[in-house]
Amino acid sequence: MTDSLYERLGGDDAITAVVDEFYDRVMADKQVAEYFDDVDMQKQRAHQAQFISSVTGGPVEYTGEEMAAAHADMDITPSDFGAIATHLDDALAEFDVDEDDREAVLDEIANYRDAIVTAAD
């Protein structure tokens, strides 16, 4: 029996650490940081950890708002989505997640791209 992606990532504590690193990178990036100007980042970090845990096969059910509704008025562009994905990949790499597992996480996130990207570059 093979471990789930969630287990290969190290479970809840490891995913939470990756999410913290991810948002540190996002908040330092002028291109995308403004999306979080009025966001409770402690709540956002917990929410994102729950989402990543859920989509990677963890024993966590995502209870957040539906993706399209949550991002409808944010005018996220393809290049902004790409920047965010790069920050996630870099955060995973910071924690020595191997390339195949990083790609698997990004593939799971990419499944939501059409619901998140609502504006043109």
Short mmCIF file of all heavy atoms in Angstrom, two decimals, residues 46-115:
data_model
loop_
_atom_site.label_atom_id
_atom_site.label_comp_id
_atom_site.label_asym_id
_atom_site.label_seq_id
_atom_site.Cartn_x
_atom_site.Cartn_y
_atom_site.Cartn_z
N ALA A 46 -4.46 29.03 8.02
CA ALA A 46 -5.13 27.81 8.49
C ALA A 46 -6.05 27.26 7.40
O ALA A 46 -6.10 26.04 7.17
CB ALA A 46 -5.92 28.11 9.76
N HIS A 47 -6.74 28.14 6.73
CA HIS A 47 -7.66 27.76 5.65
C HIS A 47 -6.88 27.09 4.51
O HIS A 47 -7.29 26.05 3.99
CB HIS A 47 -8.36 29.03 5.17
CG HIS A 47 -9.23 28.87 3.98
ND1 HIS A 47 -10.47 28.31 4.04
CD2 HIS A 47 -9.03 29.20 2.69
CE1 HIS A 47 -11.00 28.29 2.83
NE2 HIS A 47 -10.15 28.83 2.00
N GLN A 48 -5.74 27.67 4.13
CA GLN A 48 -4.93 27.11 3.05
C GLN A 48 -4.35 25.74 3.42
O GLN A 48 -4.30 24.84 2.59
CB GLN A 48 -3.82 28.07 2.65
CG GLN A 48 -3.05 27.66 1.42
CD GLN A 48 -3.87 27.78 0.16
OE1 GLN A 48 -4.89 28.46 0.10
NE2 GLN A 48 -3.46 27.09 -0.88
N ALA A 49 -3.92 25.61 4.66
CA ALA A 49 -3.40 24.32 5.12
C ALA A 49 -4.50 23.26 5.05
O ALA A 49 -4.25 22.12 4.63
CB ALA A 49 -2.84 24.43 6.53
N GLN A 50 -5.71 23.63 5.43
CA GLN A 50 -6.84 22.71 5.34
C GLN A 50 -7.10 22.33 3.88
O GLN A 50 -7.30 21.15 3.57
CB GLN A 50 -8.10 23.36 5.94
CG GLN A 50 -9.32 22.49 5.86
CD GLN A 50 -10.60 23.23 6.19
OE1 GLN A 50 -10.86 24.29 5.64
NE2 GLN A 50 -11.39 22.66 7.10
N PHE A 51 -7.06 23.31 3.00
CA PHE A 51 -7.31 23.04 1.58
C PHE A 51 -6.24 22.10 1.01
O PHE A 51 -6.57 21.10 0.37
CB PHE A 51 -7.33 24.36 0.79
CG PHE A 51 -7.43 24.17 -0.69
CD1 PHE A 51 -8.59 23.70 -1.27
CD2 PHE A 51 -6.33 24.46 -1.50
CE1 PHE A 51 -8.67 23.51 -2.64
CE2 PHE A 51 -6.42 24.28 -2.87
CZ PHE A 51 -7.58 23.80 -3.44
N ILE A 52 -4.97 22.39 1.23
CA ILE A 52 -3.90 21.55 0.70
C ILE A 52 -3.97 20.15 1.30
O ILE A 52 -3.79 19.15 0.60
CB ILE A 52 -2.52 22.20 0.90
CG1 ILE A 52 -2.42 23.44 -0.02
CG2 ILE A 52 -1.40 21.22 0.60
CD1 ILE A 52 -1.17 24.26 0.17
N SER A 53 -4.25 20.07 2.59
CA SER A 53 -4.39 18.76 3.22
C SER A 53 -5.51 17.95 2.57
O SER A 53 -5.37 16.76 2.30
CB SER A 53 -4.66 18.91 4.72
OG SER A 53 -3.55 19.47 5.37
N SER A 54 -6.60 18.61 2.29
CA SER A 54 -7.75 17.95 1.68
C SER A 54 -7.45 17.45 0.28
O SER A 54 -7.71 16.29 -0.05
CB SER A 54 -8.94 18.91 1.65
OG SER A 54 -10.03 18.34 0.98
N VAL A 55 -6.87 18.31 -0.56
CA VAL A 55 -6.65 17.92 -1.96
C VAL A 55 -5.50 16.94 -2.14
O VAL A 55 -5.36 16.35 -3.21
CB VAL A 55 -6.48 19.14 -2.91
CG1 VAL A 55 -7.70 20.04 -2.87
CG2 VAL A 55 -5.20 19.89 -2.63
N THR A 56 -4.70 16.75 -1.10
CA THR A 56 -3.59 15.79 -1.20
C THR A 56 -3.92 14.45 -0.55
O THR A 56 -3.04 13.61 -0.38
CB THR A 56 -2.29 16.37 -0.59
OG1 THR A 56 -2.52 16.71 0.79
CG2 THR A 56 -1.80 17.58 -1.37
N GLY A 57 -5.17 14.27 -0.17
CA GLY A 57 -5.61 12.98 0.33
C GLY A 57 -5.55 12.81 1.83
O GLY A 57 -5.62 11.69 2.34
N GLY A 58 -5.44 13.92 2.53
CA GLY A 58 -5.39 13.85 3.99
C GLY A 58 -6.76 13.59 4.59
O GLY A 58 -7.79 13.67 3.90
N PRO A 59 -6.76 13.33 5.88
CA PRO A 59 -8.02 13.05 6.58
C PRO A 59 -8.74 14.34 6.97
O PRO A 59 -9.32 14.45 8.04
CB PRO A 59 -7.55 12.27 7.81
CG PRO A 59 -6.21 12.88 8.11
CD PRO A 59 -5.61 13.17 6.75
N VAL A 60 -8.69 15.31 6.08
CA VAL A 60 -9.24 16.64 6.34
C VAL A 60 -10.23 16.96 5.24
O VAL A 60 -9.93 16.79 4.07
CB VAL A 60 -8.11 17.71 6.34
CG1 VAL A 60 -8.67 19.10 6.54
CG2 VAL A 60 -7.06 17.37 7.38
N GLU A 61 -11.40 17.42 5.62
CA GLU A 61 -12.39 17.83 4.63
C GLU A 61 -12.35 19.34 4.51
O GLU A 61 -12.40 20.06 5.50
CB GLU A 61 -13.79 17.37 5.04
CG GLU A 61 -14.82 17.67 3.98
CD GLU A 61 -16.18 17.08 4.31
OE1 GLU A 61 -16.23 16.05 5.01
OE2 GLU A 61 -17.18 17.65 3.86
N TYR A 62 -12.22 19.83 3.30
CA TYR A 62 -12.20 21.27 3.04
C TYR A 62 -13.58 21.83 3.30
O TYR A 62 -14.57 21.37 2.73
CB TYR A 62 -11.76 21.53 1.59
CG TYR A 62 -11.80 22.97 1.21
CD1 TYR A 62 -10.91 23.88 1.77
CD2 TYR A 62 -12.73 23.44 0.30
CE1 TYR A 62 -10.95 25.22 1.42
CE2 TYR A 62 -12.78 24.77 -0.07
CZ TYR A 62 -11.89 25.65 0.49
OH TYR A 62 -11.93 26.97 0.14
N THR A 63 -13.65 22.85 4.15
CA THR A 63 -14.94 23.43 4.52
C THR A 63 -15.06 24.89 4.10
O THR A 63 -15.99 25.57 4.50
CB THR A 63 -15.18 23.32 6.04
OG1 THR A 63 -14.13 24.02 6.72
CG2 THR A 63 -15.24 21.87 6.49
N GLY A 64 -14.12 25.35 3.30
CA GLY A 64 -14.13 26.74 2.87
C GLY A 64 -15.17 27.00 1.80
O GLY A 64 -15.85 26.09 1.30
N GLU A 65 -15.26 28.26 1.43
CA GLU A 65 -16.17 28.70 0.39
C GLU A 65 -15.81 28.04 -0.94
O GLU A 65 -14.65 27.73 -1.20
CB GLU A 65 -16.07 30.23 0.28
CG GLU A 65 -17.11 30.88 -0.58
CD GLU A 65 -17.04 32.40 -0.55
OE1 GLU A 65 -16.11 32.96 0.06
OE2 GLU A 65 -17.91 33.01 -1.16
N GLU A 66 -16.80 27.85 -1.79
CA GLU A 66 -16.57 27.29 -3.12
C GLU A 66 -15.59 28.20 -3.86
O GLU A 66 -15.64 29.41 -3.74
CB GLU A 66 -17.92 27.20 -3.84
CG GLU A 66 -17.95 26.32 -5.02
CD GLU A 66 -17.53 27.03 -6.30
OE1 GLU A 66 -17.81 28.22 -6.47
OE2 GLU A 66 -16.90 26.37 -7.13
N MET A 67 -14.66 27.59 -4.60
CA MET A 67 -13.54 28.32 -5.21
C MET A 67 -13.98 29.48 -6.10
O MET A 67 -13.45 30.58 -5.99
CB MET A 67 -12.66 27.38 -6.02
CG MET A 67 -11.73 26.55 -5.21
SD MET A 67 -10.52 27.53 -4.34
CE MET A 67 -10.29 26.44 -2.95
N ALA A 68 -14.91 29.26 -6.99
CA ALA A 68 -15.33 30.32 -7.90
C ALA A 68 -15.93 31.49 -7.13
O ALA A 68 -15.63 32.65 -7.41
CB ALA A 68 -16.31 29.79 -8.94
N ALA A 69 -16.75 31.20 -6.14
CA ALA A 69 -17.36 32.27 -5.35
C ALA A 69 -16.32 33.03 -4.53
O ALA A 69 -16.37 34.25 -4.43
CB ALA A 69 -18.44 31.69 -4.43
N ALA A 70 -15.37 32.30 -3.98
CA ALA A 70 -14.35 32.94 -3.15
C ALA A 70 -13.44 33.87 -3.94
O ALA A 70 -12.93 34.85 -3.41
CB ALA A 70 -13.51 31.86 -2.45
N HIS A 71 -13.24 33.58 -5.22
CA HIS A 71 -12.29 34.35 -6.02
C HIS A 71 -12.97 35.23 -7.08
O HIS A 71 -12.28 35.93 -7.83
CB HIS A 71 -11.30 33.39 -6.70
CG HIS A 71 -10.46 32.65 -5.72
ND1 HIS A 71 -10.84 31.44 -5.18
CD2 HIS A 71 -9.27 32.96 -5.16
CE1 HIS A 71 -9.90 31.04 -4.33
NE2 HIS A 71 -8.95 31.94 -4.30
N ALA A 72 -14.29 35.24 -7.13
CA ALA A 72 -15.03 35.90 -8.21
C ALA A 72 -14.67 37.37 -8.38
O ALA A 72 -14.54 37.85 -9.51
CB ALA A 72 -16.52 35.75 -7.98
N ASP A 73 -14.51 38.10 -7.33
CA ASP A 73 -14.29 39.54 -7.41
C ASP A 73 -12.83 39.94 -7.23
O ASP A 73 -12.53 41.12 -7.02
CB ASP A 73 -15.15 40.26 -6.37
CG ASP A 73 -16.64 40.06 -6.62
OD1 ASP A 73 -17.04 40.00 -7.80
OD2 ASP A 73 -17.39 39.95 -5.64
N MET A 74 -11.92 38.99 -7.32
CA MET A 74 -10.53 39.29 -7.05
C MET A 74 -9.72 39.67 -8.29
O MET A 74 -8.62 40.19 -8.19
CB MET A 74 -9.87 38.10 -6.33
CG MET A 74 -10.46 37.86 -4.95
SD MET A 74 -9.69 36.48 -4.10
CE MET A 74 -8.09 37.20 -3.72
N ASP A 75 -10.26 39.43 -9.47
CA ASP A 75 -9.58 39.76 -10.73
C ASP A 75 -8.16 39.18 -10.79
O ASP A 75 -7.20 39.86 -11.14
CB ASP A 75 -9.53 41.27 -10.95
CG ASP A 75 -10.92 41.86 -11.16
OD1 ASP A 75 -11.77 41.16 -11.74
OD2 ASP A 75 -11.14 43.01 -10.75
N ILE A 76 -8.05 37.91 -10.48
CA ILE A 76 -6.76 37.22 -10.53
C ILE A 76 -6.46 36.89 -11.98
O ILE A 76 -7.29 36.33 -12.70
CB ILE A 76 -6.79 35.95 -9.66
CG1 ILE A 76 -6.99 36.35 -8.20
CG2 ILE A 76 -5.51 35.14 -9.84
CD1 ILE A 76 -7.22 35.19 -7.26
N THR A 77 -5.26 37.25 -12.41
CA THR A 77 -4.82 37.02 -13.78
C THR A 77 -4.04 35.72 -13.89
O THR A 77 -3.58 35.19 -12.87
CB THR A 77 -3.92 38.17 -14.26
OG1 THR A 77 -2.71 38.15 -13.50
CG2 THR A 77 -4.62 39.53 -14.13
N PRO A 78 -3.86 35.22 -15.10
CA PRO A 78 -3.03 34.03 -15.27
C PRO A 78 -1.61 34.22 -14.73
O PRO A 78 -1.06 33.30 -14.12
CB PRO A 78 -3.02 33.81 -16.80
CG PRO A 78 -4.31 34.40 -17.26
CD PRO A 78 -4.51 35.60 -16.37
N SER A 79 -1.01 35.38 -14.93
CA SER A 79 0.35 35.59 -14.43
C SER A 79 0.38 35.64 -12.91
O SER A 79 1.35 35.18 -12.29
CB SER A 79 1.00 36.83 -15.04
OG SER A 79 0.31 38.00 -14.70
N ASP A 80 -0.68 36.17 -12.28
CA ASP A 80 -0.75 36.17 -10.82
C ASP A 80 -0.89 34.74 -10.30
O ASP A 80 -0.25 34.36 -9.32
CB ASP A 80 -1.91 37.02 -10.32
CG ASP A 80 -1.71 38.50 -10.59
OD1 ASP A 80 -0.56 38.94 -10.78
OD2 ASP A 80 -2.72 39.22 -10.62
N PHE A 81 -1.72 33.95 -10.96
CA PHE A 81 -1.88 32.54 -10.57
C PHE A 81 -0.53 31.83 -10.71
O PHE A 81 -0.14 31.06 -9.83
CB PHE A 81 -2.94 31.87 -11.45
CG PHE A 81 -3.22 30.45 -11.06
CD1 PHE A 81 -4.18 30.16 -10.10
CD2 PHE A 81 -2.54 29.39 -11.65
CE1 PHE A 81 -4.46 28.84 -9.73
CE2 PHE A 81 -2.81 28.08 -11.28
CZ PHE A 81 -3.77 27.81 -10.33
N GLY A 82 0.17 32.11 -11.78
CA GLY A 82 1.48 31.51 -11.98
C GLY A 82 2.47 31.90 -10.90
O GLY A 82 3.26 31.07 -10.43
N ALA A 83 2.45 33.17 -10.50
CA ALA A 83 3.34 33.63 -9.44
C ALA A 83 3.03 32.91 -8.13
O ALA A 83 3.95 32.48 -7.42
CB ALA A 83 3.23 35.14 -9.27
N ILE A 84 1.77 32.77 -7.83
CA ILE A 84 1.36 32.07 -6.61
C ILE A 84 1.81 30.61 -6.66
O ILE A 84 2.35 30.08 -5.69
CB ILE A 84 -0.17 32.17 -6.42
CG1 ILE A 84 -0.61 33.60 -6.19
CG2 ILE A 84 -0.66 31.24 -5.30
CD1 ILE A 84 -0.35 34.17 -4.83
N ALA A 85 1.61 29.97 -7.80
CA ALA A 85 2.03 28.57 -7.96
C ALA A 85 3.54 28.44 -7.78
O ALA A 85 4.02 27.49 -7.14
CB ALA A 85 1.60 28.04 -9.32
N THR A 86 4.29 29.38 -8.32
CA THR A 86 5.75 29.35 -8.16
C THR A 86 6.13 29.48 -6.69
O THR A 86 7.03 28.77 -6.22
CB THR A 86 6.39 30.48 -8.99
OG1 THR A 86 6.13 30.23 -10.37
CG2 THR A 86 7.90 30.55 -8.76
N HIS A 87 5.45 30.35 -5.96
CA HIS A 87 5.74 30.49 -4.52
C HIS A 87 5.44 29.19 -3.77
O HIS A 87 6.18 28.81 -2.86
CB HIS A 87 4.96 31.65 -3.91
CG HIS A 87 5.44 32.98 -4.39
ND1 HIS A 87 6.76 33.36 -4.36
CD2 HIS A 87 4.76 34.03 -4.91
CE1 HIS A 87 6.88 34.59 -4.84
NE2 HIS A 87 5.68 35.01 -5.19
N LEU A 88 4.37 28.51 -4.16
CA LEU A 88 4.05 27.24 -3.52
C LEU A 88 5.11 26.20 -3.85
O LEU A 88 5.58 25.48 -2.96
CB LEU A 88 2.66 26.75 -3.94
CG LEU A 88 2.22 25.41 -3.35
CD1 LEU A 88 2.27 25.43 -1.82
CD2 LEU A 88 0.82 25.06 -3.84
N ASP A 89 5.52 26.12 -5.10
CA ASP A 89 6.56 25.18 -5.49
C ASP A 89 7.86 25.47 -4.74
O ASP A 89 8.50 24.55 -4.22
CB ASP A 89 6.79 25.25 -7.00
CG ASP A 89 7.73 24.17 -7.50
OD1 ASP A 89 7.62 23.01 -7.05
OD2 ASP A 89 8.58 24.49 -8.35
N ASP A 90 8.22 26.73 -4.64
CA ASP A 90 9.45 27.11 -3.93
C ASP A 90 9.36 26.78 -2.44
O ASP A 90 10.34 26.35 -1.83
CB ASP A 90 9.75 28.59 -4.12
CG ASP A 90 10.17 28.93 -5.55
OD1 ASP A 90 10.50 28.01 -6.33
OD2 ASP A 90 10.16 30.14 -5.88
N ALA A 91 8.19 26.98 -1.86
CA ALA A 91 8.00 26.65 -0.44
C ALA A 91 8.12 25.15 -0.21
O ALA A 91 8.75 24.70 0.75
CB ALA A 91 6.65 27.17 0.06
N LEU A 92 7.53 24.37 -1.10
CA LEU A 92 7.66 22.91 -1.00
C LEU A 92 9.12 22.48 -1.15
O LEU A 92 9.60 21.63 -0.39
CB LEU A 92 6.79 22.23 -2.07
CG LEU A 92 5.28 22.32 -1.85
CD1 LEU A 92 4.54 22.04 -3.15
CD2 LEU A 92 4.83 21.38 -0.75
N ALA A 93 9.82 23.08 -2.08
CA ALA A 93 11.24 22.76 -2.29
C ALA A 93 12.06 23.13 -1.06
O ALA A 93 13.01 22.41 -0.71
CB ALA A 93 11.77 23.49 -3.52
N GLU A 94 11.70 24.21 -0.39
CA GLU A 94 12.41 24.64 0.83
C GLU A 94 12.37 23.55 1.89
O GLU A 94 13.28 23.42 2.71
CB GLU A 94 11.76 25.93 1.36
CG GLU A 94 12.39 26.49 2.60
CD GLU A 94 13.74 27.17 2.36
OE1 GLU A 94 14.02 27.56 1.20
OE2 GLU A 94 14.51 27.30 3.32
N PHE A 95 11.30 22.75 1.88
CA PHE A 95 11.14 21.66 2.84
C PHE A 95 11.52 20.30 2.24
O PHE A 95 11.11 19.25 2.72
CB PHE A 95 9.71 21.64 3.39
CG PHE A 95 9.47 22.76 4.36
CD1 PHE A 95 9.02 24.00 3.92
CD2 PHE A 95 9.75 22.61 5.71
CE1 PHE A 95 8.82 25.05 4.81
CE2 PHE A 95 9.56 23.65 6.61
CZ PHE A 95 9.10 24.87 6.15
N ASP A 96 12.32 20.34 1.17
CA ASP A 96 12.88 19.14 0.56
C ASP A 96 11.83 18.16 0.04
O ASP A 96 12.05 16.95 0.02
CB ASP A 96 13.83 18.42 1.52
CG ASP A 96 15.02 19.28 1.91
OD1 ASP A 96 15.53 20.00 1.01
OD2 ASP A 96 15.42 19.25 3.07
N VAL A 97 10.69 18.69 -0.39
CA VAL A 97 9.70 17.84 -1.04
C VAL A 97 10.23 17.52 -2.43
O VAL A 97 10.66 18.42 -3.17
CB VAL A 97 8.33 18.54 -1.12
CG1 VAL A 97 7.33 17.72 -1.93
CG2 VAL A 97 7.80 18.83 0.28
N ASP A 98 10.22 16.25 -2.80
CA ASP A 98 10.82 15.88 -4.09
C ASP A 98 9.98 16.42 -5.25
O ASP A 98 8.81 16.77 -5.10
CB ASP A 98 11.08 14.38 -4.20
CG ASP A 98 9.83 13.53 -4.37
OD1 ASP A 98 8.95 13.88 -5.18
OD2 ASP A 98 9.75 12.49 -3.70
N GLU A 99 10.62 16.48 -6.41
CA GLU A 99 10.02 17.12 -7.57
C GLU A 99 8.70 16.48 -7.98
O GLU A 99 7.74 17.18 -8.34
CB GLU A 99 11.00 17.10 -8.74
CG GLU A 99 10.54 17.92 -9.92
CD GLU A 99 11.60 18.04 -11.00
OE1 GLU A 99 12.78 17.79 -10.74
OE2 GLU A 99 11.20 18.40 -12.12
N ASP A 100 8.61 15.16 -7.95
CA ASP A 100 7.36 14.49 -8.33
C ASP A 100 6.21 14.87 -7.41
O ASP A 100 5.09 15.09 -7.87
CB ASP A 100 7.54 12.97 -8.34
CG ASP A 100 8.40 12.48 -9.49
OD1 ASP A 100 8.60 13.24 -10.47
OD2 ASP A 100 8.86 11.32 -9.42
N ASP A 101 6.48 14.94 -6.11
CA ASP A 101 5.43 15.31 -5.16
C ASP A 101 5.07 16.79 -5.27
O ASP A 101 3.90 17.16 -5.14
CB ASP A 101 5.83 14.94 -3.73
CG ASP A 101 5.74 13.44 -3.47
OD1 ASP A 101 5.09 12.72 -4.26
OD2 ASP A 101 6.32 12.99 -2.46
N ARG A 102 6.07 17.63 -5.54
CA ARG A 102 5.77 19.05 -5.76
C ARG A 102 4.86 19.20 -6.98
O ARG A 102 3.88 19.95 -6.94
CB ARG A 102 7.06 19.86 -5.95
CG ARG A 102 7.88 19.97 -4.71
CD ARG A 102 8.98 21.01 -4.75
NE ARG A 102 9.56 21.33 -6.01
CZ ARG A 102 10.74 20.90 -6.46
NH1 ARG A 102 11.49 20.07 -5.73
NH2 ARG A 102 11.21 21.29 -7.62
N GLU A 103 5.19 18.48 -8.05
CA GLU A 103 4.38 18.53 -9.26
C GLU A 103 2.96 18.01 -8.99
O GLU A 103 1.98 18.56 -9.49
CB GLU A 103 5.04 17.72 -10.37
CG GLU A 103 4.33 17.85 -11.70
CD GLU A 103 5.09 17.15 -12.83
OE1 GLU A 103 6.31 17.31 -12.91
OE2 GLU A 103 4.40 16.46 -13.61
N ALA A 104 2.84 16.98 -8.18
CA ALA A 104 1.51 16.44 -7.84
C ALA A 104 0.68 17.46 -7.07
O ALA A 104 -0.52 17.60 -7.33
CB ALA A 104 1.67 15.15 -7.04
N VAL A 105 1.30 18.18 -6.14
CA VAL A 105 0.58 19.23 -5.41
C VAL A 105 0.13 20.32 -6.38
O VAL A 105 -1.03 20.74 -6.37
CB VAL A 105 1.46 19.84 -4.29
CG1 VAL A 105 0.77 21.06 -3.68
CG2 VAL A 105 1.75 18.80 -3.21
N LEU A 106 1.04 20.77 -7.23
CA LEU A 106 0.69 21.82 -8.19
C LEU A 106 -0.38 21.37 -9.17
O LEU A 106 -1.25 22.16 -9.55
CB LEU A 106 1.95 22.29 -8.92
CG LEU A 106 2.97 22.99 -8.03
CD1 LEU A 106 4.24 23.30 -8.81
CD2 LEU A 106 2.41 24.24 -7.39
N ASP A 107 -0.37 20.10 -9.54
CA ASP A 107 -1.43 19.57 -10.40
C ASP A 107 -2.79 19.63 -9.71
O ASP A 107 -3.80 19.95 -10.33
CB ASP A 107 -1.13 18.13 -10.83
CG ASP A 107 -0.02 18.03 -11.87
OD1 ASP A 107 0.38 19.06 -12.45
OD2 ASP A 107 0.47 16.89 -12.08
N GLU A 108 -2.81 19.30 -8.42
CA GLU A 108 -4.06 19.38 -7.66
C GLU A 108 -4.58 20.82 -7.61
O GLU A 108 -5.77 21.06 -7.78
CB GLU A 108 -3.88 18.83 -6.24
CG GLU A 108 -3.69 17.33 -6.18
CD GLU A 108 -4.88 16.55 -6.68
OE1 GLU A 108 -6.03 17.02 -6.57
OE2 GLU A 108 -4.66 15.44 -7.20
N ILE A 109 -3.69 21.76 -7.37
CA ILE A 109 -4.07 23.17 -7.32
C ILE A 109 -4.53 23.64 -8.71
O ILE A 109 -5.50 24.39 -8.84
CB ILE A 109 -2.90 24.04 -6.81
CG1 ILE A 109 -2.43 23.57 -5.42
CG2 ILE A 109 -3.28 25.52 -6.81
CD1 ILE A 109 -3.46 23.56 -4.34
N ALA A 110 -3.83 23.19 -9.76
CA ALA A 110 -4.18 23.59 -11.12
C ALA A 110 -5.60 23.17 -11.51
O ALA A 110 -6.22 23.81 -12.36
CB ALA A 110 -3.17 23.01 -12.11
N ASN A 111 -6.13 22.15 -10.86
CA ASN A 111 -7.51 21.74 -11.12
C ASN A 111 -8.50 22.86 -10.81
O ASN A 111 -9.63 22.83 -11.30
CB ASN A 111 -7.87 20.50 -10.30
CG ASN A 111 -7.19 19.25 -10.80
OD1 ASN A 111 -6.92 19.11 -11.98
ND2 ASN A 111 -6.91 18.34 -9.89
N TYR A 112 -8.09 23.83 -10.00
CA TYR A 112 -8.97 24.93 -9.59
C TYR A 112 -8.68 26.22 -10.35
O TYR A 112 -9.29 27.25 -10.08
CB TYR A 112 -8.85 25.17 -8.08
CG TYR A 112 -9.31 23.98 -7.28
CD1 TYR A 112 -8.43 22.97 -6.91
CD2 TYR A 112 -10.65 23.84 -6.93
CE1 TYR A 112 -8.86 21.87 -6.21
CE2 TYR A 112 -11.09 22.73 -6.22
CZ TYR A 112 -10.19 21.75 -5.87
OH TYR A 112 -10.62 20.65 -5.17
N ARG A 113 -7.75 26.17 -11.30
CA ARG A 113 -7.31 27.38 -11.99
C ARG A 113 -8.48 28.12 -12.63
O ARG A 113 -8.58 29.35 -12.51
CB ARG A 113 -6.26 27.01 -13.05
CG ARG A 113 -5.67 28.23 -13.74
CD ARG A 113 -4.68 27.81 -14.84
NE ARG A 113 -3.98 28.92 -15.39
CZ ARG A 113 -4.50 29.76 -16.29
NH1 ARG A 113 -5.74 29.61 -16.69
NH2 ARG A 113 -3.78 30.76 -16.76
N ASP A 114 -9.35 27.44 -13.33
CA ASP A 114 -10.45 28.10 -14.02
C ASP A 114 -11.42 28.79 -13.07
O ASP A 114 -12.05 29.78 -13.43
CB ASP A 114 -11.22 27.11 -14.91
CG ASP A 114 -10.41 26.67 -16.12
OD1 ASP A 114 -9.39 27.32 -16.45
OD2 ASP A 114 -10.80 25.66 -16.74
N ALA A 115 -11.52 28.29 -11.85
CA ALA A 115 -12.39 28.92 -10.85
C ALA A 115 -11.72 30.11 -10.19
O ALA A 115 -12.39 31.00 -9.68
CB ALA A 115 -12.79 27.89 -9.80
#
